[in-house]
Amino acid sequence: MSASTLIETKSPVGSFTSEAFAAHLASQANSPAWWLDRKRAAYETFASLPLPSRTNESWRFSTLAGLTLDGFTTDVDFIKEQITASEARISALELKAKGGQMGASFFSNIPHGGPLVTPLELASRGVIFTTLSEAVIKHEDLLKAHFMAQPQKLGSEKFAALHTAFVHDGVFLYVPRGVEIPDPIVILHRATGRMAVFPHTLVIAEENAKVTVCESFDSTGSASNFACGANDLYAGPGAQLTYVAAQNWSRDTLSFQFNSTVVRRDARVRSLNLHLGARQARHESLSLLQGTGAFSEMLALTVAEGAQEFDQRTLQIHQAPNTKSDLLYKNALRDQSKTIFSGLIVVDPDAQKTDAYQSNRNLMLSDDAEANSLPGLEIQANDVRCTHGATSSRIDPEQEFYLQSRGIAKPDADELLTFGFFEEVLSRLDNEPLHDALRGLIGTKFQR
Amino acid sequence: MSQLEIKDLHVAIGDKSIVKGFSLTIRSGEVHAIMGPNGTGKSTLAKAVAGHPDYTITSGDVLLNGASILAQEADERARSGLFLAFQYPSEIPGVSIANFLRAAVQARLAEGEELDATAYYKRLYAKMDLLKIDRKFTSRSVNDGFSGGEKKRCEILQMAMLEPKFALMDETDSGLDIDALRIVADGVNALRGGPSAPGILLITHYQRLLDHIVPDHVHVMWDGRIVKSGDKSLALELEAKGYDWVKKEFAAA
């Protein structure tokens, strides 16, 4: 057998052909030239880069055969037909209940129910809550400074470029200096049919601002979707930003999600990503600690089952002294599922007194599941405290027996113990309804 | 009236035979104390009857109201009415007492039947008051960081909530100071007095627990079986003479 027969023959653009891109650009005709130019450049990058290969260290352990780009549609009219107005209305109500006084928004690439409206009281204090498409026109400087502004370092240059090229719309939230928004802002992204979705959320919390953003990603029906989303979080000096995301795409979805978090002096960002859905889901998360006293708390929970694969790659970069990062990723694995955690802490030469923590814990609920852990450190300063670790454990048979001896059947006992395992992460959320909502979502994975 | 019959039970851990022909019948409302030195198989007996998977029953039978329970998993035995109060209760971080007990109560409901949460909490709080357990306890993780006394009170709380037909209480007095012992004993005695009083197998090393929970029958266990039975006075005799007396009398047998 000659070597050439082993060469990857899958199309590197798949459904995202130059014709599809031209059609997408045509749908963005109202956007300014700089935005369209940026999209064109991104498309060039996407089309020119190869699909990840086995030799690429940042894709170690990933199932590359699952990364197919074929068979999806970016046609916005198709979406309009699929997500009916009544469904949009129901979901909007559902969100409103969860979102409290601040409006919630509902996207399937396009926003349902028209443009977003900033409540008057918040608008008067300078809060901007609008769609990405409108922000591109009205807030060019902020967009240029923050939209996909951090270099992709975790392996998905190609897919991040695809996101920029095809991103249709999304949420733009700007919280000015000193403004606190008490209720969480809720954003729902929904895919349907064989749809390719490109959710985007951009949050800018200026000095001493405070805000909580919750995102939910799901699908109608069980069709195969393609999701390629990103969120950019920026916390100015002293800002407090909480970001909670629940990924619950259909079980036949290929999902990519890219996060970048910039944390300035004395700011604090807490993010929690819950991973439940998709066939194969790649999540890349980058935290940049840029000012003294900055703190980034990176949390994630995964319930993997069937043949699901969850691939999480993280980077904590300490660029200033006295900064802190705390990463805790917990995975519960059932059946033949697979998880990959690859994390790196980087401490720049002058980031003395860095306090960095990175921990990946896996609860193996099946002998056939596979958890891969690749923790890493790259320290260039000499006075730092960096701890990392990875563990995999099974259900403790004595705990299981204890629960069973109270009449709780084994599957229920294992469910309780899994929640117990997750509680260390869930309990970091001080918002009780949010905590309960996440527990409820996790519970859906244990329904028998 | 219910009946738990342990018939000529033999139990092994791996290849090691621990319980060697233990027989005892307990009826509702009766309290049987099992006393004996360490290593005679008291705890093994309790765990094997409760269905611990590490303990192999090599021969004999355990019958609950005439039906063998040996084919049942631990959770089925519990739902049939058996309760094991652990000597060393497991610590379960992240699982609150409220959620744990709720799951246990829920497990006893018929398929599709919903737990009445208001009634559940009312009952839970009443039992907690009785056992002098602070209500803040419900949000704490099961046994996690509990003192010895708190763990044992938590065991009795579970027993009170689950209302078993038979309770196997394994060294419930170990690690308790006199005040905690009194609270635990009061809790058990309160159940004894009720209309659905369980049959109790009280495993203990010391006679002092029996001052607070007065047994109907006392059995001495030695080398995996009962070697002597009597009433409360047997416990006092043991206390006076010590276990060496048992050893001398039965080691040769």
Side-chain angles (χ1 to χ4, degrees), chain A residues 396-410 412 416-417 419-421 423-424 439, chain B residues 51-52 73-75 78-79 83-84 86 90-95 99-100 104 107-108 143 155 158:
Chain A
D396 177 343
E398 290 305 321
Q399 291 181 344
E400 192 179 53
F401 174 66
Y402 188 75
L403 296 177
Q404 277 190 275
S405 77
R406 300 313 184 229
I408 301 167
K410 204 167 180 164
D412 298 318
L416 264 181
L417 292 171
F419 272 108
F421 171 71
E423 191 55 32
E424 186 187 356
R439 280 185 72 98
Chain B
H52 195 293
E73 294 250 338
D75 56 294
R79 293 195 300 273
F83 182 89
L84 172 63
F86 285 64
S90 279
E91 298 189 4
I92 308 183
V95 178
N99 283 345
F100 160 59
R108 284 159 173 78
N143 296 321
E155 293 292 289
Q158 293 167 43

Side-chain angles (χ1 to χ4, degrees), chain B residues 11-19 43-44 47 54-58:
Chain B
V11 183
I13 305 174
D15 294 335
K16 197 169 164 18
S17 181
I18 310 280
V19 174
S43 288
T44 300
K47 284 191 175 170
D54 290 353
Y55 298 75
T56 315
I57 293 177
T58 50

Side-chain angles (χ1 to χ4, degrees), chain B residues 220-237:
Chain B
V220 180
M221 194 165 171
W222 172 256
D223 196 25
R225 65 181 79 89
I226 291 174
V227 292
K228 200 173 178 67
S229 297
D231 60 12
K232 162 122 180 77
S233 61
L234 179 59
L236 294 169
E237 194 179 349

Side-chain angles (χ1 to χ4, degrees), chain B residues 20-42:
Chain B
K20 305 163 185 173
F22 185 100
S23 295
L24 181 66
T25 298
I26 308 171
R27 290 175 194 83
S28 299
E30 294 178 352
V31 176
H32 292 250
I34 304 268
M35 302 185 72
N38 285 328
T40 53
K42 303 189 299 295

Side-chain angles (χ1 to χ4, degrees), chain B residues 28-181:
Chain B
S28 299
E30 294 178 352
V31 176
H32 292 250
I34 304 268
M35 302 185 72
N38 285 328
T40 53
K42 303 189 299 295
S43 288
T44 300
L45 171 78
K47 284 191 175 170
V49 171
H52 195 293
D54 290 353
Y55 298 75
T56 315
I57 293 177
T58 50
S59 69
D61 209 345
V62 180
L63 308 171
L64 182 59
N65 293 332
S68 175
I69 59 167
L70 293 189
Q72 296 181 347
E73 294 250 338
D75 56 294
E76 295 175 83
R77 295 186 197 190
R79 293 195 300 273
S80 300
L82 227 52
F83 182 89
L84 172 63
F86 285 64
Q87 180 177 9
Y88 303 112
S90 279
E91 298 189 4
I92 308 183
V95 178
S96 72
I97 301 237
N99 283 345
F100 160 59
L101 267 173
R102 207 183 154 127
V105 172
Q106 178 86 50
R108 284 159 173 78
L109 300 179
E111 187 103 19
E113 196 184 335
E114 283 293 319
L115 182 84
D116 178 346
T118 318
Y120 161 73
Y121 276 104
K122 200 176 161 194
R123 206 159 75 82
L124 177 62
Y125 290 146
K127 307 279 187 197
M128 291 177 81
D129 291 348
L130 198 69
L131 289 160
K132 300 186 173 61
I133 298 173
D134 194 310
R135 291 189 183 180
K136 284 198 218 90
F137 238 67
T138 52
S139 58
R140 284 178 64 182
S141 295
V142 177
N143 296 321
D144 190 22
F146 284 21
S147 70
E150 286 173 332
K151 281 182 183 169
K152 295 301 168 77
R153 268 187 283 165
C154 184
E155 293 292 289
I156 306 303
L157 172 66
Q158 293 167 43
M159 185 172 143
M161 284 298 286
L162 300 177
E163 297 177 342
K165 293 190 180 90
F166 292 95
L168 313 167
M169 306 185 66
D170 190 6
E171 306 261 5
T172 296
D173 51 333
S174 69
L176 295 189
D177 61 34
I178 190 67
D179 292 331
L181 183 71

Side-chain angles (χ1 to χ4, degrees), chain A residues 33-44:
Chain A
W34 70 267
W35 178 248
L36 299 178
D37 287 345
R38 180 133 185 220
K39 281 178 159 286
R40 280 189 202 97
Y43 186 77
E44 288 299 310

